[in-house]
Amino acid sequence: MAATDADRDTIRKAIDAADLNAVRMALYQNTGDPALAALPLAKDMSDEQRDTLRQQAVDWLLANASNARLPEPDDAELRRLLEMATGEQLGDLEFAARREQTAFKDYPFLVQWGGDRPDIPADFNAVIVGSGFSGVVMAVQCQLLGIPYTVIEKGDEPGGTWNINRYPDVRVDTISLTYELSFEKDWRWKEYFGRGEEVRTYINHVSRKFGVFANTRFNHALAKATFDEAKGKWLLDVDTPNGSERMETSVLITATGLFANPKIVDFPGRDDFGGEIVHPARWPADLSLEGKRVAVIGNGSTGIQMVGAIAEQAAHTSVFQRTPQWIAPRDKYGQPMEPEVHWLMDNFPGYWNWARYMAGAPLFDTHALVCNDPEWQAKGGKVNPVSDAMRGELAAYIERETGGDRSIIDRVLPDYAPMSRRPVVDNGWYRALTRDDCDLVTEPIERFSANGIVTGDGTEHPLDVVVTATGFEVVKYLWPAQFFGRSGVEVHDFWDSGDGPRAYIGAMVPDFPNMFMLYGPNSQPVSSGPAQSTWFTIWSAFIGRCLMRMLREQAATIEVTREAYDSYNKALDVESRNLVMMSKEGGIEKNYYVDNEHGRVLVNAPWYGPVFQNMFADPDWDALELRRESAPVG
Ligand code: NAP
């Protein structure tokens, strides 16, 4: 189909706004023109090369624009294309990790039966707890395998964290093109970094489009799960609007996320405060900040994201910072996606795939940033060359954004290495601090008073509204529900008897057969590789593989062996030791990634991304025990 609906000017505008590396790759895939293969990356092209490429793309699109989708090239060709796209040689592990990132398939990463689909017993089913991103992906995975499932969701719509977080200017801080799901390719983001409302709408759309919504019971909260040894099933006590309900399931999958439970800090005098106290995850729909004196406590990703918008509305804004953060800008943050770029995605076969691939590719190169380099440190470096360089760039960014104001810079410059905490994206935070009607408060909070907050220096800051952006109860995994495993031990008691929550590859705990966690302990990759939503797909596919194995082998249960759990965690502790976040330079004890009580990494998987990914794509079956009949241990 030729491009009858777009003239040269429109196409030129689209190509000018496009990612030129993605344009080159899509054009090459469509034309096979060797001159395109010989071009360097866009950043290294001459002006003439750039202009010729753009012109060639416009001419080609005028004649050939179409809404066709390109088939996935064979392995050898795909590898050649991926290497051409970023100008890097890829090892086997790297190729395996990246190949589906281009999303040419209908359901990248997810698993499907080949010709060997066994009969699925009539009573085999799964219950998925949570209807956020990960729960919806898991449900689609079950659906692809023909496994009956029910999603139970404590809220009244899909969306998870995007459902509960409705504070001013909430939005994604990874580019939407990579944050969207690789199997739902038809979404046209309004902005490069989609707003919370749009992400919520997107998850709702995916849930409905793939039939998950119809299998979801909203306003259903899991209270207790008990493994019934005799039946080989999980018995669930679920709180519903009509009281407690009993459900039974062969497989229990928790998809309750990291950020389900707000951390409510019990500040002294909190109850004395005469104004309103709000946690961002409980933002009242009718809250007006117009003309009010507002405080924001906390400068994690949440606090940072909202201050610019709050300062626009409030009469006065006070930002209470306990620990400075490294805060980085993002290209195109806050910018609308041009309609011409949407046109390109619809009419330039392969462009969507390569734009997505190129947007995510830098994330595959971040592992060096999070590891110590002892040789570099012996020569006087702080962490490693890339980390130290990033530190310099971010410090220069602070200078620029604050207009060189030392009274701000000296208080916001962190004394630890970047990437030791979750990276925070700037949304006009530094600029807001330079406003006359905005104060940065770094004196510790002593107590709340009737009129405001009193800090350690005795100053009372008069306030009408206090926003406590103090984060979430991240490491209370699975809380507040209770889970009783094969031998009757509750999972939190099991964890408390050791050194806190642990899991095998973030997903399984011994003695808890047929139970899987999405985003369990130590599952957040320390250096990302794929975007987070893709990890949900990778983890769901692992669970899919386990269920396929069970069904093929007519097993009643699958569980991780105690030996595999112990040796995995031992290796994880060793690997974690080299992380910047665990070192003094990384600011250990200043971090939700690191659990101070146990002195260890509790949220992150320390592995190089492709190594971690491979643990799910190619499971170590020796670590997992399948039993024909569920029977007592011993
Ligand atoms: P957070 O990163 O845990 O930050 C909590 C903030 O509250 C920190 O500044 C912390 O200070 C401060 N705080 C906690 N207790 C305090 C106390 N007793 N007194 C004073 N200050 C206190 O939480 P978050 O900002 O809600 O972010 C959580 C996660 O949500 C992020 O890491 C990210 O993964 C996700 N998120 C994502 C987006 C997105 O755009 N995609 C947006 C928001 C959040 P200290 O640093 O001193 O502990």
Side-chain angles (χ1 to χ4, degrees):
M1 184 180 76
T4 49
D5 64 335
D7 56 22
R8 181 174 282 277
D9 276 359
T10 308
I11 299 177
R12 179 70 209 202
K13 261 195 208 153
I15 292 292
D16 284 347
D19 176 334
L20 202 54
N21 288 309
V23 169
R24 169 190 172 232
M25 292 308 300
L27 196 58
Y28 177 74
Q29 220 184 333
N30 281 289
T31 63
D33 178 353
L36 292 166
L39 280 175
L41 297 185
K43 66 178 170 54
D44 300 321
M45 286 178 201
S46 64
D47 288 347
E48 195 188 340
Q49 282 173 318
R50 277 192 206 105
D51 201 51
T52 307
L53 171 57
R54 289 193 175 111
Q55 203 50 56
Q56 190 181 348
V58 173
D59 291 343
W60 186 86
L61 281 165
L62 268 170
N64 300 291
S66 124
N67 60 7
R69 294 230 323 255
L70 298 180
E72 183 172 63
D74 66 29
D75 272 10
E77 177 63 0
L78 185 56
R79 189 169 187 148
R80 198 173 71 80
L81 292 173
L82 295 185
E83 291 183 346
M84 189 193 299
T86 56
E88 297 160 279
Q89 292 278 304
L90 300 179
D92 290 347
L93 197 61
E94 283 75 16
F95 174 60
R98 294 183 186 205
R99 52 165 306 150
E100 307 220 2
Q101 285 286 113
T102 44
F104 286 110
K105 289 191 174 113
D106 286 342
Y107 293 98
F109 301 103
L110 294 180
V111 284
Q112 298 185 66
W113 298 110
D116 59 342
R117 179 183 168 147
D119 288 338
I120 298 176
D123 66 344
F124 189 85
N125 69 326
V127 166
I128 299 162
V129 186
S131 178
F133 245 127
S134 60
V136 171
V137 174
M138 188 64 233
V140 171
Q141 175 62 88
C142 284
Q143 205 143 290
L144 283 179
L145 293 176
I147 295 171
Y149 69 89
T150 305
V151 180
I152 56 173
E153 163 58 54
K154 69 179 178 185
D156 55 9
E157 59 175 304
T161 192
W162 295 103
N163 202 5
I164 61 173
N165 280 293
R166 299 179 185 223
Y167 57 81
D169 221 22
V170 57
R171 61 172 74 234
V172 290
D173 61 11
T174 36
I175 195 155
S176 294
L177 198 52
T178 61
Y179 196 71
E180 72 185 29
L181 295 166
S182 49
F183 59 82
E184 178 43 40
K185 305 169 170 71
D186 294 328
W187 197 257
R188 294 292 167 255
W189 296 98
K190 293 190 189 106
E191 295 186 31
Y192 280 94
F193 292 79
R195 290 174 185 271
E197 190 189 344
E198 194 180 9
V199 181
R200 195 163 69 242
T201 310
Y202 173 73
I203 299 173
N204 203 311
H205 156 82
V206 176
S207 172
R208 286 172 193 270
K209 176 171 171 178
F210 292 88
V212 179
F213 197 92
N215 287 332
T216 306
R217 296 204 200 156
F218 295 101
N219 301 305
H220 279 51
L222 178 68
K224 189 165 105 177
T226 311
F227 187 71
D228 183 317
E229 185 67 54
K231 288 185 170 172
K233 302 251 184 204
W234 282 96
L235 307 181
L236 312 181
D237 293 317
V238 181
D239 292 336
T240 81
N242 303 318
S244 182
E245 196 182 299
R246 178 49 74 87
M247 292 172 75
E248 203 174 286
T249 184
S250 321
V251 177
L252 177 61
I253 302 164
T254 62
T256 43
L258 278 187
F259 308 121
N261 300 300
K263 178 175 151 193
I264 307 293
V265 177
D266 195 12
F267 290 106
R270 191 184 163 107
D271 293 341
D272 301 336
F273 182 56
E276 193 162 1
I277 303 176
V278 175
H279 190 283
R282 300 281 181 273
W283 197 270
D286 58 356
L287 179 64
S288 166
L289 301 177
E290 216 61 55
K292 306 249 173 81
R293 296 161 303 176
V294 181
V296 178
I297 302 177
N299 57 338
S301 299
T302 306
I304 297 290
Q305 198 163 47
M306 65 174 65
V307 164
I310 288 178
E312 285 293 313
Q313 295 168 42
H316 189 272
T317 307
S318 304
V319 175
F320 287 79
Q321 170 195 277
R322 188 165 68 176
T323 312
Q325 289 267 15
W326 287 111
I327 304 165
R330 288 282 181 280
D331 194 27
K332 300 201 169 168
Y333 195 80
Q335 286 183 24
M337 275 190 88
E338 303 82 350
E340 293 85 2
V341 171
H342 287 159
W343 180 89
L344 210 56
M345 290 182 171
D346 290 337
N347 293 286
F348 188 1
Y351 178 73
W352 176 88
N353 306 79
W354 288 110
R356 179 184 167 87
Y357 183 75
M358 295 310 299
L363 291 174
F364 279 90
D365 296 326
T366 53
H367 199 65
L369 273 171
V370 300
C371 296
N372 288 301
D373 178 345
E375 271 182 39
W376 178 258
Q377 290 166 348
K379 285 189 279 179
K382 284 184 186 302
V383 173
N384 64 47
V386 273
S387 171
D388 290 6
M390 183 188 218
R391 197 170 180 147
E393 283 160 23
L394 293 179
Y397 176 71
I398 300 174
E399 289 258 356
R400 284 199 302 280
E401 288 297 290
T402 57
D405 184 339
R406 295 277 9 142
S407 72
I408 299 175
I409 297 169
D410 291 344
R411 292 189 294 155
V412 298
L413 194 66
D415 61 358
Y416 57 89
M419 302 290 283
S420 351
R421 299 169 150 225
R422 203 267 191 187
V424 176
V425 173
D426 192 17
N427 192 19
W429 190 77
Y430 293 117
R431 292 233 175 124
L433 297 185
T434 65
R435 295 170 66 120
D436 292 340
D437 58 0
C438 186
D439 289 337
L440 172 67
V441 183
T442 49
E443 281 292 326
I445 295 170
E446 195 177 273
R447 63 186 168 84
F448 281 39
S449 63
N451 299 318
I453 291 178
V454 180
T455 44
D457 57 355
T459 308
E460 183 178 62
H461 303 261
L463 296 162
D464 302 306
V465 178
V466 176
V467 181
T468 55
T470 45
F472 295 84
E473 300 286 2
V474 171
V475 296
K476 286 189 177 178
Y477 287 97
L478 306 184
W479 184 85
Q482 293 183 299
F483 299 77
F484 295 90
R486 200 189 270 284
S487 47
V489 175
E490 206 279 317
V491 73
H492 298 94
D493 293 339
F494 171 69
W495 284 332
D496 287 347
S497 70
D499 59 356
R502 288 185 180 272
Y504 173 70
I505 60 172
M508 297 167 93
V509 179
D511 200 45
F512 290 78
N514 297 4
M515 177 172 149
F516 300 90
M517 292 174 285
L518 290 156
Y519 232 148
N522 292 110
S523 54
Q524 166 133 348
V526 73
S527 58
S528 193
Q532 192 55 46
S533 54
T534 300
W535 280 104
F536 298 145
T537 317
I538 292 164
W539 297 336
S540 297
F542 164 76
I543 298 171
R545 288 184 177 95
C546 290
L547 302 187
M548 289 168 92
R549 185 102 171 186
M550 280 178 82
L551 290 164
R552 280 197 185 112
E553 300 194 7
Q554 297 176 354
T557 58
I558 186 167
E559 62 202 286
V560 62
T561 66
R562 179 73 203 221
E563 296 70 36
Y565 170 87
D566 287 340
S567 66
Y568 174 81
N569 277 290
K570 213 167 154 190
L572 182 138
D573 289 344
V574 171
E575 188 77 13
S576 302
R577 275 187 220 140
N578 193 35
L579 296 178
V580 180
M581 68 171 74
M582 285 294 286
S583 66
K584 199 161 164 286
E585 193 53 51
I588 185 171
E589 296 190 7
K590 288 180 174 175
N591 203 332
Y592 83 73
Y593 278 181
V594 179
D595 176 53
N596 294 321
E597 192 187 335
H598 301 107
R600 69 180 183 82
V601 175
L602 230 140
V603 171
N604 297 102
W607 321 103
Y608 170 52
V611 168
F612 190 44
Q613 196 174 329
N614 195 48
M615 294 179 195
F616 300 95
D618 185 12
D620 174 7
W621 295 111
D622 291 341
L624 307 177
E625 185 186 354
L626 288 107
R627 297 188 196 177
R628 273 296 177 108
E629 281 176 25
S630 177
V633 191

